[in-house]
Amino acid sequence: MRAARLIKMVLLLQSRSAMTAAELARELEVSERTVTRDAQALSEAGVPVYADRGRAGGYRLIGGYRTRLTGLHRGEAEALFLSGVPGALREMGLEDAASAARLKVSAALLPSLRDASRTAAQRFHLDAPNWFKEPRTPELLPAVADAVWDDRPLTARYRRGDGEVERQLEPYGLVLKAGVWYLCARAAPQGAWRVYRIDRFTAVATGEERFVRDEDFDLPAFWEERAEQFARSILRAEVRVRLSPAGARALPHAVDPLAAREALDDAGPPDSVGWVTLTLPVESEEVAHTQLTALGAEVEVLAPASLRARFAGDAARLARLYGR
């Protein structure tokens, strides 16, 4: 533990011209007294740590000293590629590995480039969770993430409907979609591929032996295919509508964007007042009522008759409400 802290202290001083005891204490999560003792230990070990006295004093390395302890180990290197997603790293338990990796990269850079990580962080930030939803980290996410990184099989209990099922899984990849974590896995051994919401796992146990990973597996391509399949699978009903030009432009923002674009592409030419008629796949009549209501007077529902009657009832109530 102390050895790792001493190495981190050297890398911090190597990546910056000087640091105060308070700054080092904050970075290393120790007291300033411990920083003083660690600096003395480094000096005794031959690392040229110099302490500047006074109010503006601090610690620095003398004479352009550079340590060779900048090599990344595998965990740090993998975490570094995710360092643009700090929230995801924290939830998977990889924040410390990413921090160490970034520090080693910074220490290895030329002095003129050492502020690259800070300047990049001030210009790009990824906020993955959706608006107006309190993100909740699944309790079992770190254990699942460890199995994914180590290619170790999982025995998982999973909530399905009113009960639970147990599955033997080969965990291939994690996906964070709109603040929800998913596991892409294959039934062990080498069975069907499935996607699981990690917040529905009630228990997981990691196996000792590593499974043989299919090198042809492409996580982004797999997720894109499954996401499209899911989006299409829930569109089990159809409605017939007329849309004004403004309604046609707003349709992809009110319903499934892909379904909207395909329906607009298949629509016939506009009528004499510029309205288009199209058939739109929807999840259900209830969902369609909620979604299409957002378009207001820019949409006319033609079929089914029951949905048209709903909108006619809405219009009548609005007329009474605003006509008073």
Side-chain angles (χ1 to χ4, degrees), residues 1-10 28-30 34 38:
M1 184 72 175
R2 190 189 186 201
R5 189 175 71 242
L6 292 174
I7 292 172
K8 186 174 182 178
M9 184 175 180
V10 173
L28 300 173
E29 298 181 348
V30 296
T34 299
D38 286 351

Side-chain angles (χ1 to χ4, degrees), residues 98-109:
S99 175
R102 287 192 296 268
L103 185 58
K104 289 182 178 182
V105 169
S106 178
L109 293 173

Side-chain angles (χ1 to χ4, degrees), residues 16 23 29 83-84 89 102 196 209 211 217 228 276 278:
R16 307 179 194 181
E23 291 171 336
E29 298 181 348
S83 59
L89 282 168
R102 287 192 296 268
Y196 300 89
E209 301 294 329
F211 64 87
F217 177 76
E228 183 175 341
V276 295
L278 54 85

Side-chain angles (χ1 to χ4, degrees), residues 173-184 195-196 198 219-220 222-223:
L174 293 168
V175 174
L176 178 60
K177 171 71 172 179
V180 180
W181 284 96
Y182 296 88
L183 173 67
C184 301
V195 175
Y196 300 89
I198 294 180
L219 179 60
F222 173 80
W223 177 258

Side-chain angles (χ1 to χ4, degrees), residues 61-187:
L61 294 175
I62 300 175
Y65 176 85
R66 297 183 64 78
T67 177
R68 300 186 179 214
L69 298 173
T70 53
L72 299 177
H73 65 64
R74 183 176 182 83
E76 292 171 344
E78 290 171 336
L80 184 61
F81 285 101
L82 295 170
S83 59
V85 196
L89 282 168
R90 184 169 54 253
E91 292 177 7
M92 288 190 291
L94 296 173
E95 188 173 28
D96 289 343
S99 175
R102 287 192 296 268
L103 185 58
K104 289 182 178 182
V105 169
S106 178
L109 293 173
L110 293 172
S112 60
L113 300 177
R114 285 179 189 160
D115 67 342
S117 61
R118 181 184 61 80
T119 56
Q122 295 306 316
R123 287 164 173 79
F124 176 78
H125 175 70
L126 176 62
D127 185 8
N130 206 345
W131 286 105
F132 314 120
K133 291 185 178 179
E134 185 67 26
R136 295 182 179 178
T137 303
E139 182 180 347
L140 298 175
L141 176 60
V144 175
D146 286 344
V148 170
W149 288 117
D150 291 341
D151 294 335
R152 296 187 186 277
L154 282 176
T155 300
R157 293 195 62 79
Y158 188 80
R159 288 195 306 273
R160 191 173 68 178
D162 296 331
E164 291 187 1
V165 296
E166 185 172 287
R167 294 287 184 264
Q168 306 294 322
L169 302 175
E170 295 174 349
Y172 268 69
L174 293 168
V175 174
L176 178 60
K177 171 71 172 179
V180 180
W181 284 96
Y182 296 88
L183 173 67
C184 301
R186 185 165 59 174

Side-chain angles (χ1 to χ4, degrees), residues 208-221:
E208 294 296 328
E209 301 294 329
R210 287 183 168 87
F211 64 87
V212 179
R213 190 178 180 89
D214 183 352
E215 296 300 327
D216 292 331
F217 177 76
D218 184 333
L219 179 60

